[in-house]
Structure formats: structure tokens, C-alpha cells
């Protein structure tokens, strides 16, 4: 099966600082890939490169068989890549419904009632319908994070990029989020999910990737990756002696 | 679940507006020529304010150089109507198109700048155009040129024609901006205003949207310039490309209410009244206006319309409200 997303040889530097170094991986259609790694490892930069907000210095990005490396973020969204940001970026002067409608109209390309319906659906699945007419700028953090997800979903993406959307959720709120993401994956949307709350990832993802300082340490079965000694060292910062 | 725009308030105010426009259209039969000339200026203030609001309030671009397109519109009228013999009714919109074409070209230059640099850049463009037109002998150079386009009309008829032209242009332009903001493009524009990166990630073509707004605002300002030239019958570089127009536009939009179509209408009426009362204070009156604008930005950022408006209380409802069906 052709991969939905193919990253090869990706590199990104900011001046003398190399943030992404020779990164290559693929994502299959409908697959959920989790991404873990220490802070500052380049995870968000990688998402910015995939959705087109940043251009890579080297390497190529292919989406659904097309080379999108030189294509802007708006065209990539219309091609099917949705994105939610780690620090929410709501359209503050618009209502919550208006925010979702931007995704449904300009991202998914729907018109009239169809666009409205897609926006409603996205808001329902993220439990934001009760706030539909509230100005997005007045939302509390949790609802802003939900809106990030709702907007990206309203675009009708084939691949959705999630950046630490579980952060700050209570133990009772987390399972609902996990169910929403699992529902997305089950409906055929591929997911790349950066997350620090690893047990949320492990409940949903098919594969796990560990990124550290721009390079990939490990990729594969989630449980195996989490047990990989190099991954453990990267997280804890020192070598872990295993009891024999 | 459904989403709708119209509210009882908006329906009532639409009727009121319709009556108001009809009354205004009747004015040449009822009021003096002097009053008609004054009202043309008021309509131009509404038009210019609406365009500046489109740029700054919806596009997020603060331009200090819209006078460039007012000047082009004024000289455009002289060139198209006087020198090419096109009837005035067509010459006004064509002057607007000419301004739009110049705006399209300069956009590639000024869009390389952002924020304060963009503002200064647009001002520089206006100043350059002023200097260029001062050199053109065919258009009267520094001394300027008279507008002969209405030469064969008697004064009463001429003033009425210019009045109706100004009323029609303003009403159609405001309505045009309203329709734009209700459209997909308008939705994208509002998103770009709030967060261009997020807008881009949701499928909005940011550069294209900004260029569209910049060109549309120039067309409106160009038509305003043509109307002002038709009203005063004289075009000179100093006044046609005057920075005073930007001062007026800023006042009208900031005081009236930025980011709402109703705002510039309110602001234009207020400015029009203040100008009549305070103009004998000379330069101090401009200082006072500046202070008022700064005060409003700090204390009443949503302007006067912001005090009155609410989610269900808009004359030109742009946003959608979700209701149970």
C-alpha cells in the first residue's frame, strides 16, 4: 500500500542550530503514529514542516503520492493535512462555530448547509456545541484545546497532526479525548500525535516514534519502543542499569 | 441545529436604512445646492472610512497611504472624463478601477513589509505619486487642473448628478463590503485578521486574501477621489494626495468602530458634524482630533458602535448564530 505520508532525509536548521537532522519515516493511510521525546527535541518543528508552516532545508515530503515540499500550508490543508497547535491559536473575535466553519469552508471546501453540518459535527465530537456562539477568545484553556482539535477535524483531513492536546486535562477528561482520537483513527484518518502523557498514546497508536534533538531514536511497536534502553535514557537523561 | 444571520434587529434596521436611502435620494429636490455639496463630502467620508475599515479592521493592515488612491482617482476622473471623453457616470467607477490596478502593482512591493514598516511604506508610495503628478505638465503640474467633465450641465443639474453619483457609489460600496464579509472570502479574511498562521493551516490563502482586500480598498478610495474631484471641480497634487485623508479615515474608523461595517458610517457622520463646528479653530482642531483618536483607542477600542452593538444587535450582521431549529 502506498504510504499516505513519506518523509525522507528531512533537515531543518535555525542558524547554527540543527533542529531536525536526516529524518525519514512513513505513515500509512488510517494509521496512528505517536511521537515522544524530551522537550526541545524538534517534535513541534517536525509537525510545522509536515503541514507547511516551515520549509525544510533538505529532504522531501510526499503526501498521497504528491511532492508537497514546496507547497504552502493552505494548499496542504486543502489536500488533506489538518493541524492543531500546542499553544491554541483561536480566532478570538469569531465565535466557536465561526472557527470551526473556517475549517469546513476553506479547508474542506464545503459550501452552505454542508459546511455548517461539518462544523456542527466537529463541535459535537469535541463537546463544544454548548459554546457554539461564545467568542473563541473568551474560552478557558481546555476548551481552546478542544477547539484546536475541532477546527482541524472540520477540515475533513486524511492526516491530522496533534501537538500535545492532552496536556492539562484531568483524569476524568482524558478518556474522552482518547476516545475522540481513537474514533478519528477508526474512521480512516491517519494521526501523528505528539504527547507527553504516554499512557494516552499507548491506548490509541499503532506505532510509536521517539525523537531526540532532531534525530529518530526508535520507531515501532509502542511497548517495545518504550522499553528500548536508549529511549529510557533520553527521557531520564542518564543510563538506566537494568537488574539482571 | 442551524446557523443564521438575520435577527429581528437587523431586519428592522434594514427597512430603516432603505427608507433613509430613499429620503437621501430625494434630497436634490428638497435641499439647497450648498447642502448637497456638503452631503457629497459626507458620503465620501463614509466610503473612505469603509475602505480603511476593510483594510485595517478586517484585513489587519494599517495603511497610512490610502491617499495615493484618492489622488489617482481624482486625476483618473480628469484623464478619463475630460481627456478621453467618457461620460462622468462611467468615469467614476473607471477611475476606481485605475486605482485598483495601481494598487495591484504596488502590493507586490508593500506586502514585503509588515506592521509599522508597511504603514510607512504605503505613505512613501503616496508621496512618490504626489511628486510624480507634480511633474506632469499635461495634468497641470503643481498648479493642478480644473475638472471640465460636467461642463455642458447647468450648475443645479451638475450638483444633483454628482450628489446621486456619490450616494449610489457609497451605498453600493458599503453593500459590496457587506456581501464580501458574508462570503467565504470574508470568513477567510476575518480568520487572517485574528491569526494568519492558524488561518493558513486551515486552508486560507493568506497572501491572496490580503491582496484582494488591498486592491478592493484602493478601488473604493479611487472612486472617492473621483467624486471629490467632481465636487470641488479642481484637482491639485497637494490636496489630492494629502495625508489629511488618512487622518480622516483613521478618525472615522476608530471613533465609529473598527471591524464593524456600521462603525465608519457612524464615525463619518460624527466627523462631518465636528468638522463644521470646529473648523474655525484651525490647526488646533486637527490636534484635538488626534487626541480624541488616541483616547478612543485606549478607552473605547470598539468605538461608538461597540457601545451599542451586541451579538443580536447588528445592522449588517456578518457572523452566524447557531440556534436549535
Amino acid at each position: 500500500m502506498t504510504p499516505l505520508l513519506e518523509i525522507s532525509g528531512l533537515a531543518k536548521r535555525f542558524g547554527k542550530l540543527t533542529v531536525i537532522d536526516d529524518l525519514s519515516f512513513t505513515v500509512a493511510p488510517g494509521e496512528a503514529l505517536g511521537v515522544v521525546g524530551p522537550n526541545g527535541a524538534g517534535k513541534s518543528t517536525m509537525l510545522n514542516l509536515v503541514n507547511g508552516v516551515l520549509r525544510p532545508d533538505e529532504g522531501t515530503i510526499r503526501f498521497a503520492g504528491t511532492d508537497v515540499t514546496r507547497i504552502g500550508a493552505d494548499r496542504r490543508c486543502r489536500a488533506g493535512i489538518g493541524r492543531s497547535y500546542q499553544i491554541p491559536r483561536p480566532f478570538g473575535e469569531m465565535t466557536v462555530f465561526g472557527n470551526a466553519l473556517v475549517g469546513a469552508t476553506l479547508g474542506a471546501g464545503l459550501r452552505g448547509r454542508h459546511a455548517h453540518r461539518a462544523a456542527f459535527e466537529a463541535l459535537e465530537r469535541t463537546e463544544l456545541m454548548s459554546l457554539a456562539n461564545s467568542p473563541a477568545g473568551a474560552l478557558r484553556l481546555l476548551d481552546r484545546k478542544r477547539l484546536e482539535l475541532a477546527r482541524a477535524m472540520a477540515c475533513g483531513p486524511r492526516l491530522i497532526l496533534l501537538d500535545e492536546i492532552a496536556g492539562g486535562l484531568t483524569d476524568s477528561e482524558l478518556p474522552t479525548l482518547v476516545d475522540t482520537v481513537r474514533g478519528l483513527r477508526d474512521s480512516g484518518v491517519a494521526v501523528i500525535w505528539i504527547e507527553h502523557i504516554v499512557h494516552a498514546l499507548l491506548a490509541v497508536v499503532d506505532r510509536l516514534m521517539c525523537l531526540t534533538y532532531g534525530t529518530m531514536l526508535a520507531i515501532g511497536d509502542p511497548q517495545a519502543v518504550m522499553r528500548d534502553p536508549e529511549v529510557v535514557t533520553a527521557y531520564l537523561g542518564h543510563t538506566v542499569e537494568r537488574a539482571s | 441545529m442551524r446557523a443564521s444571520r438575520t435577527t429581528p434587529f437587523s431586519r428592522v434596521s434594514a427597512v430603516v436604512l432603505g427608507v433613509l436611502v430613499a429620503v437621501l435620494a430625494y434630497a436634490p429636490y428638497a435641499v439647497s445646492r450648498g447642502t448637497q455639496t456638503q452631503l457629497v463630502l459626507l458620503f465620501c467620508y463614509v466610503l473612505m472610512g469603509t475602505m480603511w475599515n476593510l483594510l485595517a479592521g478586517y484585513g489587519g493592515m494599517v495603511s497610512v497611504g490610502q491617499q495615493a488612491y484618492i489622488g489617482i482617482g481624482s486625476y483618473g476622473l480628469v484623464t478619463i472624463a475630460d481627456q478621453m471623453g467618457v461620460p462622468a457616470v462611467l468615469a467614476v467607477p473607471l477611475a476606481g478601477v485605475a486605482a485598483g490596478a495601481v494598487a495591484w502593482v504596488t502590493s507586490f512591493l508593500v506586502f514585503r513589509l509588515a506592521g509599522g514598516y508597511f504603514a510607512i511604506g504605503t505613505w512613501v508610495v503616496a508621496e512618490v505619486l504626489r511628486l510624480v503628478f507634480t511633474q506632469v505638465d499635461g495634468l497641470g503640474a503643481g498648479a493642478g487642473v480644473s475638472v471640465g467633465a460636467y461642463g455642458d450641465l447647468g450648475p443645479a443639474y451638475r450638483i444633483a448628478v454628482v450628489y446621486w453619483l456619490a450616494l449610489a457609489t457609497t451605498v453600493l460600496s458599503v453593500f459590496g463590503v457587506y456581501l464580501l464579509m458574508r462570503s467565504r472570502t470574508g470568513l477567510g479574511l476575518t480568520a487572517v485578521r485574528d491569526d494568519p498562521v492558524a488561518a493558513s493551516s486551515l486552508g486560507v490563502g493568506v497572501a491572496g486574501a490580503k491582496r484582494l482586500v488591498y486592491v478592493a480598498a484602493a478601488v473604493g478610495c479611487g472612486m472617492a477621489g473621483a467624486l471629490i474631484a467632481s465636487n470641488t471641480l479642481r484637482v491639485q497634487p497637494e490636496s489630492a494626495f494629502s495625508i489629511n485623508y488618512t487622518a480622516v479615515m483613521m478618525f472615522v474608523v476608530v471613533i465609529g468602530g473598527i471591524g464593524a461595517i456600521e462603525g465608519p458610517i457612524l464615525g463619518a457622520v460624527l466627523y462631518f458634524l465636528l468638522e463644521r463646528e470646529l473648523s474655525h479653530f484651525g490647526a488646533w482642531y486637527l490636534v484635538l482630533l488626534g487626541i480624541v483618536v488616541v483616547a478612543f483607542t485606549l478607552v473605547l477600542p470598539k468605538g461608538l458602535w461597540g457601545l451599542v452593538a451586541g451579538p443580536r444587535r447588528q445592522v449588517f450582521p456578518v457572523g452566524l448564530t447557531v440556534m436549535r431549529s
Side-chain angles (χ1 to χ4, degrees):
Chain A
M1 191 184 340
T2 357
L4 181 63
L5 181 73
E6 278 178 82
I7 308 288
S8 50
L10 209 60
K12 182 68 184 169
R13 292 176 279 276
F14 294 106
K16 287 238 168 90
L17 184 67
T18 303
V19 178
I20 301 282
D21 189 17
D22 195 23
L23 186 64
S24 304
F25 64 93
T26 62
V27 177
E31 174 186 22
L33 174 72
V35 181
V36 294
N39 281 321
K43 306 189 296 294
S44 292
T45 305
M46 178 194 62
L47 287 194
N48 284 338
L49 290 167
V50 173
N51 99 307
V53 167
L54 288 177
R55 293 291 153 85
D57 294 314
E58 284 163 36
T60 55
I61 302 170
R62 297 184 74 84
F63 181 71
T66 320
D67 188 336
V68 297
T69 322
R70 303 274 155 244
I71 291 180
D74 57 302
R75 281 175 63 190
R76 289 195 213 185
C77 173
R78 281 175 259 145
I81 302 179
R83 167 92 150 106
S84 83
Y85 286 89
Q86 182 178 354
I87 298 173
R89 312 178 75 129
F91 302 127
E93 298 291 314
M94 280 185 176
T95 61
V96 166
F97 174 71
N99 273 260
L101 194 63
V102 174
T105 315
L106 292 145
L110 300 168
R111 293 184 176 274
R113 291 266 163 73
H114 302 290
H116 294 183
R117 211 173 300 134
F120 288 143
E121 208 186 294
L123 292 180
E124 258 150 28
R125 287 168 77 176
T126 49
E127 302 187 334
L128 282 174
M129 269 312 280
S130 57
L131 292 167
N133 293 322
S134 307
L139 294 177
R140 56 183 181 145
L141 180 64
L142 170 63
D143 292 325
R144 287 184 195 218
K145 287 189 167 235
R146 283 186 178 146
L147 184 57
E148 282 291 305
L149 183 57
R151 281 195 323 196
M153 283 167 61
C155 293
R158 288 195 277 171
L159 167 68
I160 195 167
L161 310 174
L162 304 175
D163 201 346
E164 295 189 36
I165 52 169
L169 293 188
T170 63
D171 286 341
S172 53
E173 289 157 346
L174 199 51
T176 321
L177 175 75
V178 170
D179 284 339
T180 309
V181 179
R182 191 187 292 121
L184 262 183
R185 194 274 314 271
D186 292 344
S187 67
V189 179
V191 179
I192 299 180
W193 186 3
I194 297 175
E195 197 48 75
H196 280 304
I197 301 173
V198 184
H199 66 266
L201 277 186
L202 294 179
V204 176
V205 300
D206 305 304
R207 280 191 305 156
L208 192 63
M209 170 167 75
C210 179
L211 263 190
T212 174
Y213 304 109
T215 54
M216 181 160 63
L217 263 194
I219 186 167
D221 171 76
Q223 299 289 350
V225 168
M226 287 315 294
R227 281 196 299 266
D228 185 321
E230 282 189 44
V231 172
V232 175
T233 308
Y235 260 111
L236 296 178
H238 58 267
T239 323
V240 174
E241 295 296 326
R242 290 209 155 264
S244 42
Chain B
M1 277 303 128
R2 62 189 179 86
S4 81
R5 277 197 181 89
T6 52
T7 65
F9 186 90
S10 76
R11 274 185 223 115
V12 169
S13 46
V15 173
V16 170
L17 265 184
V19 170
L20 181 65
V21 170
V23 167
L24 285 172
Y26 186 73
Y29 298 110
V31 303
S32 72
R33 292 184 223 168
T35 311
Q36 288 172 56
T37 311
Q38 290 274 299
L39 285 174
V40 168
L41 202 55
L42 170 63
F43 299 153
C44 288
Y45 290 159
V46 171
L47 179 55
M48 293 191 296
T50 302
M51 292 303 130
W52 205 84
N53 191 28
L54 185 63
L55 261 180
Y58 286 112
M61 294 179 272
V62 176
S63 163
V64 177
Q66 288 309 98
Q67 62 269 21
Y69 306 112
I70 295 179
I72 293 189
S74 298
Y75 277 104
L77 177 79
V78 169
T79 311
I80 297 170
D82 291 5
Q83 299 184 357
M84 289 164 60
V86 174
V89 178
L90 285 177
V92 168
L94 284 175
V97 169
V102 174
W104 192 81
V105 172
T106 61
S107 73
F108 290 97
L109 194 63
V110 293
F111 279 12
R112 299 172 81 99
L113 306 165
Y117 300 102
F118 172 81
I120 301 297
T122 53
W123 191 0
V124 168
V125 168
E127 287 301 302
V128 166
L129 281 168
R130 180 179 64 78
L131 290 169
V132 165
F133 277 86
T134 313
Q135 306 300 316
V136 180
D137 290 330
L139 288 168
V145 65
S146 293
V147 176
Y150 303 90
D152 36 323
L153 301 173
Y157 191 51
R158 173 183 66 78
I159 289 171
V161 165
V162 172
Y163 177 89
W164 281 317
L165 208 48
L167 178 62
T169 307
T170 304
V171 167
L172 288 173
S173 297
V174 171
F175 199 61
V177 168
Y178 178 46
L179 289 180
L180 176 70
M181 294 321 297
R182 284 171 57 133
S183 70
R184 293 160 64 97
T185 314
L187 187 63
L189 271 176
T190 317
V192 169
R193 175 191 66 187
D194 286 352
D195 193 323
V197 174
S200 179
S201 304
L202 288 170
V204 180
V206 175
K210 288 189 152 182
R211 185 159 284 122
L212 176 75
V213 169
Y214 189 70
V215 171
V219 170
C221 288
M223 292 195 290
L227 289 168
I228 290 171
S230 303
N231 208 29
T232 60
L233 292 180
R234 183 134 190 93
V235 183
Q236 287 167 290
E238 284 299 328
S239 53
F241 293 98
S242 167
I243 187 76
N244 278 351
Y245 287 123
T246 285
V248 172
M249 285 187 258
M250 276 190 182
F251 181 93
V252 164
V253 173
V254 173
I255 304 308
I258 194 167
I261 296 171
E262 302 86 340
I265 299 176
L266 207 55
V269 171
L270 188 65
Y271 179 80
F272 178 71
L273 295 172
L274 278 178
E275 191 184 36
R276 290 160 62 116
E277 300 308 309
L278 302 177
S279 57
H280 44 267
F281 285 111
W284 287 110
Y285 140 79
L286 283 174
V287 173
L288 179 68
L289 282 189
I291 293 173
V292 172
V293 171
V294 172
F296 263 72
T297 319
L298 295 171
V299 176
L300 273 178
K302 296 225 149 129
L304 290 175
W305 180 248
L307 286 176
V308 175
R312 307 285 290 164
R313 219 171 334 139
Q314 290 176 20
V315 176
F316 297 97
V318 168
L320 287 157
T321 310
V322 177
M323 295 185 292
R324 307 203 165 272
S325 38

